[in-house]
Amino acid sequence: MSTAIVEPAGPADRDEELPPARPAPLGAGYRFELTKLIAQWRMRGVLLACWLVPALFVGVVSRQSSLPSDTVFGRWMNATGWAGALVVLAFCCSWALPLLTSLVAGDAFAVEDRLGTWRHLLLAVRSPHRIFVAKTLASLTVILAMVVGLAVSGVVGGLVAVGNHPLVGLDGRSLDPGDAATRVLLAWLAVLMPTLAFAAIGLLGSIVLGRSPMGLLVPAVLALALNLLQLLPLPVMVRLALPSASFLTWRGLFTTPMQTGPLLVALVVDVAWAVVALAAAYWLFLRRDFAVLANDGGGRRALVAAVVPLAAVTGLSVLALALFSPASGAGIRKGQLEESLSTVFAHLYRMQTSELHQASVTEQQLAASTSCDKGGDLVDDVGPGNDWRCVVSWHVPGSSVVGQAIYQLDVTADGRYVADGDGPKEVNGFFTLHTADGDVPNPLWQVDGLVDLLNPTAQHSTKE
Amino acid sequence: MGVERAVRARGITKYYGDVVALDGVDLDIAAGQVHGLVGPNGAGKTTLLGLLLGLSGYDAGSLEILGAPTRRTLAVPDGVAGFVDGPGLYPALTARANLAALASLQRYGAGTAAAVDRALEDVGLGDVADDRVRGFSLGMRQRLGLAAALLTNPRLLVLDEPANGLDPAGRRHVHDVLTRLAGDGCAVVLSSHRMDDLAQLCAEVTLLTGGRVVFSGPMAKLAAESGVIDYRVVTASGDETVVRGVAALDALVARVIGDGGAIRELAPVVPPLEAAFLALTEGTRS
């Protein structure tokens, strides 16, 4: 039996012309990507950890006598529950958030290469554009769920373990619980943007490096490199042009007035990184030939297409900051430190008098002033280092006596400093205070402070 | 009897850089036909299957799928399904979840659950519908891939090595499904290295080598291309003889029977289709 094939009618004669199959709805694609992510046991484990571990950590550490005082707000963990959430935030900014973005975004596209499912997915969705959007949105959703978990867990753990008490800011001011809660919320919101920027870099790495393990590690490796860079005394315009700057600048929310300059600059840089990284990822993804399995997106050209735009963003950011920023050099000057330490000291002195049940004083009555010197006569009084020595002077209320206290400062390149009291013993030389209610921590013994890297105050104070 | 054409390709040429993957390929596949695609590794089979699925475009020629001209990637009409280089499945999801996700992507509304169950039953995976694919054997994955394709009610089904990893029962099951689909008017394009599978299923076959079609037509015609075949003959006394060509075979059989013996086994040393495959592909290479 022979079978004759008849020619189908031409388009004009056909009852209905067959259009290309429609792409899958974006909502369905998003739900599918989310389902795939959540179905992975490691993802569920990490999500669970994000919602539980911070609460356990804060709950346990807050009750210990030895607190993580090297971490900002760590020394206040047993004084208020809000400090615990901020210690969690500081830890997250160093490692956890880049690692989480690596785990989720770094694998978003590479997982299809590993499983060999690209063709299947493409046939099911019928739109690389929608696949990209769905994968991006699903990754960001999971990352957001993790960040919210870390924040909520840290806050709940702190409030349950220690309570809703005032928080001492980085200028020594006591923030009432409502104010502290607002600032903690703002701080977590502030780190969302750099987290999204790292997520975008993770998505880009996942597309460029395909099934290579390096694709999974791009945000973590970048964070490690940037953390190392942040340790160096880089010019402030370079420091703020890096996408990791917002992982540090949220601390400016805990001074009064808030140090919003560095925070806003860093957020703008993060937006630029996120947009450029996502645009590069989208461009590379849409140009991929899915018919060739051996081509998983890698290659020198793709690498260049990914790296060059981000290098350009960094260069342009540095240039813009150099042109428009009032700061120069490392951004840490003698005058800034003196002003900052005077403020911190005055606020904490009030707290000390309160704990000692002495007559209350005001910052205006104290009129504290500070004189700082870095490294003796041969070193310029500028930049980070642990060789700053400051003398704080204040008017003792009710007398003509001028009190003096000495501090050794360890100033890091990001503007944070820890001032270690060096006497007199009655003021800042001992870690506890003897009060009628028993021994309590001496708030003036070790103090945390923060200088505004973009504040032009006393920029010309160098060694004479 | 006249039937609609599911695939019509004329002079399809496809390059990957400087490499010619397909070189002026012509192909006609009727609706309801099971069509085999064979060729040595690197012949261009996967590329051609990818074009039929709409996974990539081509550089020259013309291609109509289900009567609709297609040129760009993903421009094929509804009703085309299948897989190349193995079915794409997500090991962390259950068999049911894999199909349900696919159904939701393809705008199935009410009746999705029933359609998924039916597809799983069709390929004999109803009992393991709620097991994660991570634990599936290769054969089970192949069948689940076929179920995913069935879910779309295809009119053109493109399958790359669907019998990989299947046990004899599983292979028979898949054959039954494909035969039924063809009976319902679905064109099935099947790439396989197993000539016995193709012989059982396919009405026509296309042989590719070096990106070119060296044969396209009915299976019987391909067998005729095999040239002179060696036959192995085992007599009742246990003597084993290999003779070349039908004339020598006839002479041997006549002699054995004339001597009062009997033939216990008689078979080509290399099956005719395989011999044809080797003859055509090696001829092209030389």
Side-chain angles (χ1 to χ4, degrees):
Chain A
M1 182 186 74
S2 67
T3 303
I5 299 175
V6 298
E7 293 292 337
D13 303 320
R14 230 184 264 135
D15 289 336
E16 52 173 343
E17 190 174 350
L18 290 171
R22 285 183 302 162
L26 185 57
Y30 168 72
R31 282 192 298 277
F32 183 37
E33 292 301 332
L34 211 50
T35 303
K36 286 191 290 182
L37 276 172
I38 303 297
Q40 298 174 37
W41 65 265
R42 66 172 179 187
M43 210 58 75
R44 290 201 297 265
V46 172
L47 261 170
L48 191 67
C50 287
W51 281 84
L52 290 181
V53 170
L56 294 173
F57 169 79
V58 173
V60 170
V61 173
S62 297
R63 292 164 189 265
Q64 291 181 339
S65 57
S66 174
L67 297 172
S69 53
D70 287 345
T71 304
V72 68
F73 294 105
R75 70 182 79 255
W76 300 109
M77 277 185 78
N78 57 10
T80 172
W82 299 108
L86 294 173
V87 169
V88 170
L89 177 58
F91 280 144
C92 288
C93 288
S94 298
W95 302 111
L97 293 177
L99 276 175
L100 292 180
T101 56
S102 279
L103 189 70
V104 182
D107 199 37
F109 291 86
V111 67
E112 309 288 350
D113 287 309
R114 225 175 32 251
L115 297 175
T117 43
W118 270 126
R119 291 169 169 176
H120 165 80
L121 187 63
L122 202 62
L123 288 175
V125 178
R126 293 187 180 274
S127 164
H129 164 78
R130 291 192 183 190
I131 291 175
F132 182 87
V133 175
K135 279 188 173 293
T136 301
L137 290 179
S139 301
L140 297 185
T141 302
V142 172
I143 290 171
L144 193 64
M146 289 174 174
V147 175
V148 170
L150 291 166
V152 170
S153 181
V155 169
V156 170
L159 293 180
V160 169
V162 186
N164 184 20
H165 305 299
L167 171 73
V168 174
L170 290 176
D171 58 354
R173 184 187 298 266
S174 178
L175 305 170
D176 65 63
D179 195 7
T182 305
R183 295 184 194 226
V184 168
L185 176 65
L186 286 176
W188 276 100
L189 287 175
V191 300
L192 271 184
M193 202 57 236
T195 304
L196 295 185
F198 271 78
I201 293 162
L203 293 170
L204 177 59
S206 184
I207 288 171
V208 171
L209 296 169
R211 73 194 78 181
S212 159
M214 271 310 292
L216 190 66
L217 293 175
V218 166
V221 170
L222 182 68
L224 174 66
L226 294 176
N227 277 349
L228 292 175
L229 274 180
Q230 293 283 6
L231 295 176
L232 302 175
L234 296 172
V236 67
M237 62 275 294
V238 175
R239 178 173 298 281
L240 290 176
L242 301 176
S244 58
S246 297
F247 283 144
L248 298 169
T249 52
W250 59 267
R251 298 181 301 196
L253 294 168
F254 293 88
T255 61
T256 304
M258 293 180 188
Q259 297 175 11
T260 51
L263 181 61
L264 292 176
V265 168
L267 289 179
V268 169
V269 169
D270 289 333
V271 170
W273 271 73
V275 168
V276 170
L278 270 184
Y282 181 74
W283 189 84
L284 288 169
F285 183 69
L286 260 59
R287 273 151 190 79
R288 179 171 172 176
D289 187 348
F290 292 96
V292 187
L293 277 189
N295 169 19
D296 63 359
R300 193 182 303 166
R301 199 186 306 170
L303 205 60
V304 169
V307 171
V308 168
L310 294 176
V313 168
T314 309
L316 288 173
S317 302
V318 171
L319 187 65
L321 278 164
L323 289 175
F324 302 113
S325 160
S328 61
I332 295 167
R333 307 274 172 178
K334 175 183 172 180
Q336 292 168 290
L337 271 180
E338 290 173 340
E339 187 181 327
S340 173
L341 186 57
S342 299
T343 305
V344 174
F345 182 87
H347 288 312
L348 293 177
Y349 189 93
R350 282 191 64 193
M351 182 184 284
Q352 190 189 58
T353 57
S354 170
E355 288 179 348
L356 291 170
H357 303 296
Q358 295 174 346
S360 66
V361 293
T362 65
E363 287 83 355
Q364 288 72 26
Q365 289 172 323
L366 291 171
S369 63
T370 303
S371 174
C372 291
D373 178 80
K374 184 175 189 291
D377 292 339
L378 299 176
V379 181
D380 276 348
D381 293 336
V382 65
N386 60 1
D387 53 350
W388 283 93
R389 180 181 170 83
C390 298
V391 178
V392 183
S393 306
W394 72 99
H395 295 286
V396 179
S399 77
S400 58
V401 175
V402 174
Q404 284 198 327
I406 299 169
Y407 281 100
Q408 303 288 343
L409 267 64
D410 183 0
V411 185
T412 52
D414 55 32
R416 184 197 171 203
Y417 64 86
V418 177
D420 202 352
D422 215 10
K425 182 182 173 187
E426 299 74 26
V427 180
N428 68 348
F430 198 64
F431 70 100
T432 55
L433 293 174
H434 301 295
T435 71
D437 304 326
D439 286 354
V440 296
N442 181 358
L444 287 174
W445 178 56
Q446 276 188 333
V447 302
D448 290 304
L450 185 70
V451 295
D452 187 342
L453 296 178
L454 289 181
N455 187 339
T457 306
Q459 285 194 47
H460 304 293
S461 59
T462 53
K463 187 72 68 186
E464 292 178 4
Chain B
M1 184 179 71
V3 292
E4 281 277 333
R5 195 193 303 271
V7 175
R8 181 181 188 277
R10 290 292 176 270
I12 293 288
T13 302
K14 167 84 178 168
Y15 297 96
Y16 289 122
D18 296 332
V19 178
V20 184
L22 294 175
D23 187 2
V25 169
D26 294 341
L27 184 66
D28 288 293
I29 300 171
Q33 182 186 86
V34 182
H35 192 103
L37 198 59
V38 289
N41 294 330
K45 300 188 299 293
T46 302
T47 302
L48 184 55
L49 294 178
L51 287 185
L52 297 181
L53 285 169
L55 283 168
S56 62
Y58 49 93
D59 299 300
S62 67
L63 176 63
E64 285 180 17
I65 307 282
L66 300 175
T70 63
R71 185 167 196 98
R72 292 176 294 108
T73 304
L74 299 177
V76 297
D78 270 330
V80 181
F83 56 79
V84 286
D85 280 319
L89 301 167
Y90 294 94
L93 301 179
T94 64
R96 192 191 303 280
N98 265 285
L99 296 196
L102 185 65
S104 76
L105 289 173
Q106 296 181 341
R107 300 169 191 274
Y108 278 71
T112 295
V116 167
D117 287 344
R118 198 164 50 245
L120 287 167
E121 291 296 340
D122 277 350
V123 298
L125 292 178
D127 294 342
V128 291
D130 294 315
D131 291 0
R132 290 189 193 281
V133 171
R134 183 180 294 121
F136 279 20
S137 67
L138 177 59
M140 291 164 81
R141 288 171 189 238
Q142 293 287 101
R143 283 148 72 184
L144 187 56
L146 180 58
L150 296 181
L151 200 58
T152 63
N153 296 319
R155 282 182 291 150
L156 172 61
L157 183 61
V158 180
L159 299 173
D160 189 12
E161 301 284 356
N164 256 6
L166 290 176
D167 57 26
R171 206 155 75 239
R172 179 182 293 270
H173 202 122
V174 168
H175 284 193
D176 289 346
V177 171
L178 297 183
T179 306
R180 197 186 68 229
L181 277 174
D184 292 342
C186 174
V188 180
V189 184
L190 200 64
S191 161
S192 178
H193 286 110
R194 297 185 60 111
M195 302 302 285
D196 53 340
D197 275 347
L198 295 178
Q200 285 179 37
L201 280 168
C202 297
E204 294 197 2
V205 67
T206 294
L207 177 54
L208 281 174
T209 181
R212 293 183 173 196
V213 174
V214 292
F215 174 86
S216 191
M219 292 296 292
K221 193 177 165 196
L222 176 63
E225 300 278 344
S226 57
V228 181
I229 291 179
D230 291 343
Y231 295 92
R232 178 171 161 273
V233 179
V234 180
T235 64
S237 60
D239 293 338
E240 182 178 326
T241 311
V242 174
V243 294
R244 171 155 298 180
V246 176
L249 175 66
D250 289 347
L252 175 64
V253 170
R255 195 176 72 237
V256 169
I257 291 172
D259 293 346
I263 305 292
R264 285 285 162 80
E265 284 182 44
L266 195 165
V269 173
V270 178
L273 287 174
E274 205 170 317
F277 174 89
L278 292 172
L280 289 168
T281 55
E282 285 176 1
T284 306
R285 281 178 198 154
S286 64

